[in-house]
Amino acid sequence: MVYLNKSWLLAATLAFAARSVLAAARKATDLFIVDFSTDDNGGCAYMGENEIDTQLQEAFEILSVGVVLVGDYGNVDEAERLLKAFFKPEPSSADLSTLSSNYERVIDFLENGRQWNGRKPYLFCNSNWLERKEMTDDAFDANGNVLYTDPQRTQPLKIRDVAKRDYGTVSISFWWTSVFNAYVVVKSQAKNHYCNRNKKNKGVTTEAGDGIPYPSITVCPNGFEPRGRRRHAAQVNPVPRNSVGTNTQSIDQVYPVAMTLIHELFHLVLGNQNTFVDPATQSEEYLVAGMLGLGADKALRNPESMALVAVAYDITGNLYVGGQDATEFHLGYATKG
């Protein structure tokens, strides 16, 4: 294995240290409208303000390493192998510029905050801020008051009437949020709110529109697992590159707990409309094997890909010991040598 210059670790450390002196992530309450007093209505009491602040700071640090990763491409073998693997066949100069810009845009939000329609975005720690309504329930207006079909206000308008009028079907579900006094419409007859619908659901970002005036990030309880795993805390067990097998440690097994929040921050800042969605699955790509198969154009629109390579390079730099092979993840697994 040939390395161009192992001073890359020192350079990356110094670059990050210099940035850290000048700036850091702002507190959760500076960046978001978030309720730490309760677990109801999407509240974050069960996580606590200090934990969310810590995750935001770790997100800032990991994304800053992402910027270093892009800058190291072409000069550091580890950076080149990693980005060629996840941004196939290899990232162009325009791709690298886009990737660096994506990291910088999220970092800027963490440093300075941003408002949409004159208000900070919302942060929820569960999707129980949404309450499912039945088709036979009364429909509400934007002030949370019952709507009526007659001037005498004796015949309440029903959810089914709104569904037929506005969507032409009742094979959908309406979810009321008292946070915004608005409905979120799901194009299926889902019975449970997002976090309870599927154990694999970790987080979701909603944009302003369709009756919701402000964007929000929802991180599910499952998205805060493994609970408390700090950046660099996971035990990494690399194997020789030619010994990768079924029991080899995958990169997603050593993610820090802030990974879900990093992913959703890309959605918030870059916009859901810019996200890659596989036509076959109607989903983003979350699996490491799938991300290794994405071309650069898709990977640059896949938040998990951008988060993964930043986390991987961060671990590589943290574990490097002078004179030894570095731990890498360009195969999707922890390897060495």
Side-chain angles (χ1 to χ4, degrees):
M1 182 179 291
V2 178
Y3 300 96
L4 296 180
N5 185 353
K6 278 306 180 183
S7 65
W8 70 275
L9 176 61
L10 176 61
T13 301
L14 292 176
F16 171 68
R19 181 170 204 153
S20 297
V21 170
L22 297 174
R26 297 176 69 176
K27 301 297 184 182
T29 52
D30 294 329
L31 295 171
F32 298 98
I33 297 172
V34 53
D35 189 349
F36 288 106
S37 69
T38 180
D39 290 332
D40 296 331
N41 243 3
C44 296
Y46 77 96
M47 290 303 299
E49 189 169 354
N50 182 66
E51 173 62 23
I52 300 300
D53 286 343
T54 300
Q55 290 194 31
L56 289 168
Q57 179 59 29
E58 291 199 347
F60 169 85
E61 294 168 2
I62 290 167
L63 292 164
S64 296
V65 172
V67 176
V68 173
L69 165 64
V70 176
D72 283 350
Y73 186 84
N75 297 309
V76 178
D77 286 2
E78 290 83 359
E80 193 160 329
R81 278 192 288 269
L82 183 62
L83 290 178
K84 281 183 176 179
F86 285 92
F87 296 83
K88 285 183 170 63
E90 61 179 279
S92 66
S93 58
D95 293 333
L96 293 170
S97 178
T98 298
L99 181 58
S100 183
S101 174
N102 289 347
Y103 288 133
E104 291 282 6
R105 288 171 65 185
V106 181
I107 290 169
D108 180 71
F109 169 77
L110 291 170
E111 288 179 339
N112 302 305
R114 178 181 167 188
Q115 294 193 346
W116 282 261
N117 298 327
R119 186 177 294 185
K120 293 180 290 187
Y122 285 72
L123 175 62
F124 300 113
C125 292
N126 204 330
S127 56
N128 60 356
W129 57 280
L130 293 167
E131 177 189 359
R132 190 181 191 279
K133 293 295 183 180
E134 302 297 333
M135 287 293 160
T136 54
D137 286 338
D138 296 341
F140 298 149
D141 65 16
N143 295 314
N145 299 317
V146 175
L147 289 166
Y148 293 89
T149 61
D150 61 317
Q152 293 76 30
R153 299 170 64 83
T154 61
Q155 298 296 322
L157 185 70
K158 300 297 181 180
I159 295 291
R160 63 171 174 265
D161 301 324
V162 177
K164 291 176 181 178
R165 182 192 68 195
D166 296 347
Y167 298 91
T169 180
V170 294
S171 296
I172 54 179
S173 55
F174 278 64
W175 297 79
W176 175 256
T177 166
S178 59
V179 177
F180 303 115
N181 278 344
Y183 289 103
V184 173
V185 178
V186 177
K187 294 181 179 179
S188 69
Q189 293 178 312
K191 298 295 183 183
N192 296 309
H193 59 77
Y194 177 81
C195 293
N196 285 357
R197 201 173 302 157
N198 188 321
K199 291 182 178 180
K200 294 182 179 180
N201 289 347
K202 293 186 175 183
V204 63
T205 297
T206 58
E207 295 184 290
D210 293 331
I212 303 296
Y214 310 104
S216 69
I217 288 177
T218 298
V219 179
C220 301
N222 186 46
F224 288 121
E225 299 293 342
R227 192 69 57 85
R229 180 187 281 172
R230 298 273 70 89
R231 174 184 177 226
H232 302 158
Q235 179 67 44
V236 182
N237 303 304
V239 300
R241 198 187 307 180
N242 59 3
S243 299
V244 172
T246 55
N247 294 322
T248 310
Q249 194 176 44
S250 176
I251 176 64
D252 56 4
Q253 293 177 297
V254 295
Y255 283 161
V257 68
M259 184 68 174
T260 301
L261 193 52
I262 294 171
H263 178 111
E264 298 306 330
L265 284 166
F266 278 117
H267 280 298
L268 177 70
V269 175
L270 304 182
N272 286 338
Q273 73 277 7
N274 297 316
T275 300
F276 162 71
V277 176
D278 188 325
T281 63
Q282 288 300 299
S283 174
E284 304 165 47
E285 186 56 73
Y286 297 97
L287 299 178
V288 176
M291 286 185 276
L292 283 166
L294 293 180
D297 60 327
K298 295 175 180 176
L300 286 168
R301 295 181 288 119
N302 193 57
E304 195 79 354
S305 298
M306 294 183 286
L308 180 152
V309 294
V311 167
Y313 204 57
D314 185 44
I315 295 173
T316 294
N318 179 65
L319 293 180
Y320 176 68
V321 177
Q324 297 183 10
D325 290 334
T327 297
E328 299 185 68
F329 294 93
H330 61 283
L331 299 179
Y333 298 93
T335 61
K336 216 173 192 183

